[in-house]
Amino acid sequence: MDFFKEPKTILDLFTYDLTTFFYEDYKEVNSEEILDTVLIDYEKNLPWKEFDVFNRVVFRVFIEKTNITGTNHINVTFYADEGYTKEHIMKIVEKVTRITGIDDNRKGFWSSSDDENFEKGHVDRMWTLGKNENIYSLRLIYDKNDGLQLSILFFTNLLKQLGKL
């Protein structure tokens, strides 16, 4: 990431290059079969903290048994195990909103309702983006019991949209 350049896409927000995930050490942490789909979770600890809080990333790969030759669908989730504050969450919302605009609930930057939700122990923001068949989403969830996570849903669609797949 070029620190002197304004981010233009979701991927510009991260210093870790997600497209290199499978080139380095990772481990399989979960697998399950649901109907005709196999889900496999691969995890790695990040070499640094993204957004100063996310210390690990999980790729969830969906493999359709009936579509062997198709592209696998992937969700990417960053996890912050500890050390985050409301200010960290506010900063993430601000950076994402600067790139994407309002979220799915027509909310922009951090608001008083976000403050209220944070005090109640749960913040959930979702931005659905992309065009045509390349729709993807970015979801930020804070839950006082489950922690903080930032997900890119339909990551492969984001890569297609950006011409990186």
Side-chain angles (χ1 to χ4, degrees):
M1 180 174 152
D2 185 347
F3 292 104
F4 302 108
K5 195 170 141 187
E6 239 352 87
K8 293 182 180 168
T9 72
I10 297 304
L11 292 183
D12 294 339
L13 293 174
F14 304 102
T15 53
Y16 179 75
D17 183 355
L18 292 168
T19 63
T20 67
F21 181 89
F22 290 108
Y23 298 155
E24 303 164 5
D25 292 334
Y26 59 89
K27 61 183 176 183
E28 182 179 322
V29 293
N30 182 47
S31 65
E32 58 186 286
E33 188 172 331
I34 301 173
L35 300 174
D36 70 339
T37 303
V38 177
L39 309 174
I40 305 172
D41 291 339
Y42 300 99
E43 179 182 80
K44 75 166 40 182
N45 291 322
L46 293 167
W48 52 79
K49 290 186 176 182
E50 292 290 344
F51 287 103
D52 296 324
V53 294
F54 298 111
N55 59 304
R56 59 190 172 95
V57 63
V58 172
F59 272 49
R60 172 166 276 185
V61 179
F62 296 79
I63 302 168
E64 291 181 52
K65 293 190 290 186
T66 57
N67 186 16
I68 296 172
T69 61
T71 302
N72 295 330
H73 163 67
I74 299 173
N75 288 346
V76 176
T77 302
F78 290 90
Y79 291 91
D81 293 325
E82 59 184 25
Y84 53 86
T85 64
K86 179 172 81 169
E87 287 69 29
H88 286 108
I89 301 169
M90 291 169 64
K91 183 178 174 183
I92 295 166
V93 168
E94 178 182 329
K95 286 185 175 195
V96 171
T97 301
R98 286 194 188 286
I99 291 174
T100 64
I102 60 173
D103 69 10
D104 293 1
N105 290 316
R106 307 196 53 75
K107 291 172 63 176
F109 296 107
W110 192 264
S111 67
S112 58
S113 67
D114 290 312
D115 275 329
E116 291 171 17
N117 289 335
F118 182 83
E119 293 306 318
K120 292 177 185 174
H122 188 79
V123 174
D124 189 348
R125 300 285 296 262
M126 174 104 95
W127 296 263
T128 301
L129 309 158
K131 297 177 187 173
N132 304 323
E133 68 276 356
N134 294 327
I135 300 294
Y136 61 95
S137 296
L138 192 66
R139 187 171 190 190
L140 177 68
I141 298 176
Y142 159 72
D143 184 279
K144 68 180 176 184
N145 298 317
D146 296 327
L148 179 63
Q149 61 186 31
L150 178 63
S151 298
I152 302 171
L153 308 172
F154 300 100
F155 178 63
T156 45
N157 287 353
L158 169 59
L159 294 178
K160 286 179 194 173
Q161 183 77 28
L162 297 174
K164 295 184 181 237
L165 188 67

